[in-house]
Amino acid sequence: MNTHQDKQVILITGASSGFGALGARALAAAGHTVYASMRDIAGRNAPQVQALREHASRHGVDLRALELDVQSQASADAAIGQVIADHGRLDVLVHNAGHMVFGPAEAFTPEQYAQLYDVNVLGTQRVNRAALPHLRGQRSGLLLWVGSSSTRGGTPPFLAPYFAAKAGMDALAVSYASELARWGIETSILVPGAFTQGTNHFAHSGTPADTARAAEYAEGATRGLAQQANDGLAAAEPPDSDVAEVASAMVGIVNTPAGQRPFRVHVDPSDDGAAVVNAVADRVRAEFLRRIGLGDLLRPQIPREVA
């Protein structure tokens, strides 16, 4: 049960659609000040901005659109600067921005892998570098990373670049967790499963640039595999699965009192096994940190004032 009623200042990246848009609305409904950030708010995403403003007005919530392109350090710096100028603080940073691709691993060019890694992994680093000096100055805050069950659960074919990037992001989140603990900054990793309905994640996924290689997979020994993979994923998803559960989990993590938030939360109706593997990995991490005398890094701490 939520016992933490403080109004928090929250920034979510990639909030034009999908988990980000749902999470922004849910967090605003929970009484927080939410900056739903996205790129090109005056252009391509102008309709999303208008819908967001109408939602905020209709429901009487503090939900604001904010320009932030995670592929630009200047944009990240400006966005964080705006939040700090408005409120003097930032309590929660939700790393949600990401892009998905679908197709044979071989058919994507190295440049496509780099582009996906830039959005899904380096984007979090840009925003962290903009935000963390403020959070460290506060000696408080929460980094909430929206990962993917694919990094350690079942890995169906034709999603390699996305899976690899999400695995990179998860590894970065785990390392940041221990480095920020003594600064009083908390880390939670939200791990959604493969929701094939309710977002445009799959519908808007990118495709391989090397169409000739992709055609070889479509017409050769792996003919029909893409459809089998999609059908299998859809069949594994229970008919009553609801993508809103991810937004609810986001609210649950944020509303948990600081210092008590879970390190990892899975929302995977298809149950692809990630929760089992992550439980082992996270336990091994905790045991090793304790073994080398760094067990205090498993929880955020407020350090004593240095004389």
Side-chain angles (χ1 to χ4, degrees):
M1 177 178 285
N2 171 33
T3 59
H4 187 58
Q5 299 297 335
D6 294 342
K7 183 171 186 175
Q8 300 184 63
V9 178
I10 302 171
L11 186 153
I12 305 181
T13 65
S16 65
S17 63
F19 297 146
L22 292 167
R25 285 159 173 75
L27 286 163
H32 302 296
T33 294
V34 180
Y35 285 83
S37 77
M38 62 196 81
R39 58 183 172 172
D40 201 14
I41 62 174
R44 190 187 67 179
N45 280 322
Q48 282 74 18
V49 172
Q50 183 60 30
L52 186 142
R53 287 175 178 154
E54 290 172 358
H55 177 93
S57 176
R58 185 165 60 250
H59 295 277
V61 295
D62 195 354
L63 179 60
R64 317 177 187 196
L66 181 66
E67 176 73 33
L68 199 172
D69 179 357
V70 299
Q71 293 187 270
S72 163
Q73 188 65 59
S75 179
D77 291 344
I80 297 295
Q82 182 63 56
V83 175
I84 299 299
D86 289 348
H87 301 281
R89 72 183 206 275
L90 173 63
D91 301 309
V92 181
L93 172 57
V94 183
H95 286 305
N96 171 76
H99 186 55
M100 188 177 190
V101 297
F102 186 85
E106 183 188 341
F108 290 95
T109 64
E111 291 76 17
Q112 283 188 290
Y113 276 82
Q115 163 78 4
L116 203 70
Y117 193 86
D118 192 62
V119 173
N120 293 11
V121 186
L122 303 186
T124 66
Q125 178 68 354
R126 293 185 186 99
V127 182
N128 273 353
R129 282 178 56 80
L132 286 176
H134 300 287
L135 271 62
R136 288 188 293 104
Q138 296 167 185
R139 289 294 200 271
S140 67
L142 167 67
L143 296 191
L144 175 49
W145 305 71
V146 181
S148 169
S149 67
S150 62
T151 62
R152 281 177 171 150
T155 48
F158 291 170
L159 287 158
Y162 176 74
F163 287 174
K166 278 298 189 180
M169 193 198 83
D170 192 282
L172 191 62
V174 171
S175 290
Y176 258 120
S178 56
E179 294 182 17
L180 294 175
R182 289 182 182 174
W183 292 95
I185 299 167
E186 201 158 16
T187 293
S188 286
I189 306 170
L190 178 57
V191 188
F195 286 88
T196 59
Q197 305 295 325
T199 73
N200 53 19
H201 214 41
F202 279 84
H204 289 182
S205 59
T207 55
D210 190 338
T211 54
R213 298 273 180 108
E216 289 176 19
Y217 277 82
E219 296 160 10
T222 44
R223 182 184 183 91
L225 181 56
Q227 192 61 51
Q228 281 181 285
N230 278 326
D231 291 348
L233 277 172
E237 192 175 341
D240 62 347
S241 67
D242 185 355
V243 71
E245 293 173 24
V246 177
S248 296
M250 213 178 278
V251 173
I253 293 168
V254 169
N255 283 353
T256 298
Q260 299 177 33
R261 290 165 172 139
F263 182 64
R264 201 182 291 270
V265 174
H266 294 82
V267 183
D268 180 19
S270 301
D271 193 17
D272 72 2
V276 176
V277 182
N278 278 326
V280 175
D282 293 340
R283 177 175 58 79
V284 169
R285 167 183 174 264
E287 289 173 353
F288 187 74
L289 285 176
R290 292 189 186 104
R291 183 176 141 203
I292 62 174
L294 297 176
D296 70 290
L297 303 184
L298 296 170
R299 286 286 175 192
Q301 298 176 5
I302 308 300
R304 292 187 180 92
E305 289 297 326
V306 178

